[in-house]
Amino acid sequence: MNQNESSHPESIVDPSLAKLTYWLTMRRLFSVVSGIFFAGASILSAAISEPVRIDTGLVSGVPGTSDEVRVFKGIPFAAPPVGDLRWREPRPPSHWEGVRKADEFSPVCMQQQRGPNPSGPPPSEDCLYLNVWTAAKSASERRPVIVWTYGGAFTGGAGSLAMYNGEALAKKGVVVVTYNYRLGIFGFLAHPELTSESGHNASGNYGMMDMASVLSWVQKNIASFGGDPKRVTIDGESAGSMLVSAMVGSPQGRGLFQRAIGQSGAWMGVNIGKMTTRTEAEENGQKIVEALGAKSIAELRAKPADELLKNGRGFFAIIVDGRYVPEDLSIIYENHKQNDVDVLVGSNRDEGTFFSRPGSGNAEQFSGTAKRRFNDMADAYLKIYPAGSDTQAGASQLSAFRDEFGWQMREWAQLQSQRGKAKAYLYYMTHVPPSPPGQPSRGATHTADLQYMFDNQPPNVTWTDIDKQLAETMSTYWVNFAATGNPNGKGLPEWPAYSEKKGAKNIVLGDTVMVGQGIDPAILAFYDSFYAKLKSGLGVGATGGQ
């Protein structure tokens, strides 16, 4: 990121001039033009007073690629979760004296390195930091806020990734916050000892606790950056979207945000199903601890982070911990117990190509999995997704992946639209972004929407006019929603709120943006029937609720 120096108009006045007449002439001239000059400068540069005072001290930022935006990098929102604080709720960060330079991104949370990244921050357990992009001229502006939660299968990702650069959105009028949350064994380990020591009879959702801590920080401090704590939108993609859906359903999220955006991910995960219970997660955690050669959590806390990262493998995700997620979120949503907030949610047409390639399927395995999973509905499933050959099974696997993602996002919109005064907006992205040279296209794949909603053109690709227009449209929809709870605005294709009574319409984000068809209604009906059986097993509807 370029960091341009701000210009100072005072430098045009030379105090060393000897002749008094010349000095007086220059002073009169400067008095005439200075008002014009400074008025122009206020448009070109963010004039928010620095340093900015937050609850832990003073921070100073750096310019974005233009002086219009200030960026504050690596602000601690919690104490380092190391030593005895490993696997505990976030504790408040320490205060500091003087002005803290917020000019570098923090380390990313512990994760396996996914390819060479010599210029990026290194992984560390000391990773609970956030970043702020703002174009506010003063702290009194009260701009809407978007808090971004990254994806990465709960084992990777960071708020500092270039694709999440918040500058373009900040220029459109929002304050953008990105942050790091604990991952893998550090962020989602459940264990009976951890449950016992917590004081809440809960363990496992430490990454979600980090998210709640960030939202509390925003409530206390975002006004100092020109943000409005009463207009906070949480947004996330993939695992980040799953965390957003969990926070919408969590009693711990109440009052911390007013709107939510979910992009390709909801509480059930990749497939429609029940959430992992705390008991199941604790059993898994005990196996992980044993595999690491530890007899207690105290022994595990004494082990180096690198050793845990290397050997602490397992399945990690949001669980029904009893506190942050008091019961399966399907029950919470079905009984209308989730937070009464507006949502904007959706998915992409080719989600599955991110995880597998066409032709990579195995007909026998696909059919066997379908029969075990869907039981008496398997024949109907295999009629929708035939597996007469490996090639056909591979194509069906991609289609099924897409449709389950799409069904989950529609279900989220549908259930949220039934909650109080909340409105829901549903999208389906079909536009295929350009690929870097030499790389085959994956279509409108998982994550394809990110470059457009952030309005960040990826490196090594050339955007067409259609790409640029879609980025302009999507980023404006997102900003409008953050500002008012309604994505619509002047010059934009009308996006109707989701309503079963009015035909359950969604917006199609394609080469042309328009209201249209997402997932085939017949396929949605199949998954509705499958979900009805799942709900029956969960006892949904037994407690009611408003």
Side-chain angles (χ1 to χ4, degrees), residues 381-513:
Y381 180 85
L382 291 170
K383 186 174 181 180
I384 299 171
Y385 307 109
S389 66
D390 288 351
T391 300
Q392 194 176 51
S396 289
Q397 182 176 330
L398 294 177
S399 297
F401 201 102
R402 169 200 67 206
D403 295 342
E404 284 203 51
F405 254 117
W407 180 89
Q408 289 195 58
M409 305 317 287
R410 188 226 53 180
E411 186 69 9
W412 185 359
Q414 187 164 284
L415 292 173
Q416 199 67 20
S417 70
Q418 300 167 0
R419 174 67 172 96
K421 298 180 180 179
K423 288 187 177 181
Y425 295 87
L426 181 64
Y427 74 84
Y428 187 64
M429 182 173 175
T430 62
H431 174 73
V432 177
S435 301
Q439 293 187 18
S441 173
R442 291 190 174 190
T445 191
H446 193 62
T447 75
D449 48 334
L450 297 180
Q451 58 190 287
Y452 298 100
M453 56 80 48
F454 273 105
D455 196 2
N456 289 333
Q457 181 175 342
N460 304 320
V461 301
T462 301
W463 267 6
T464 65
D465 290 342
I466 291 175
D467 291 298
K468 294 174 183 177
Q469 183 57 54
L470 182 60
E472 172 66 21
T473 298
M474 285 181 62
S475 59
T476 304
Y477 275 145
W478 263 240
V479 169
N480 289 350
F481 180 79
T484 68
N486 186 334
N488 291 293
K490 185 178 180 180
L492 294 172
E494 184 69 17
W495 186 342
Y498 184 93
S499 171
E500 289 180 90
K501 295 180 180 179
K502 296 181 180 179
K505 296 178 181 178
N506 53 227
I507 200 83
V508 175
L509 302 172
D511 294 353
T512 300
V513 176

Side-chain angles (χ1 to χ4, degrees), residues 7 67 136 154 171 192 252 268 293 332 390 397 419 436 479 502:
S7 59
D67 289 342
F154 301 107
K171 287 181 178 179
Q252 302 300 324
M268 297 182 217
I332 290 174
D390 288 351
Q397 182 176 330
R419 174 67 172 96
V479 169
K502 296 181 180 179

Side-chain angles (χ1 to χ4, degrees), residues 1 7 23 122 203 235 259 326 330 384 391 422 544:
M1 180 179 293
S7 59
W23 162 245
S203 68
D235 188 359
R259 319 186 220 289
S330 287
I384 299 171
T391 300

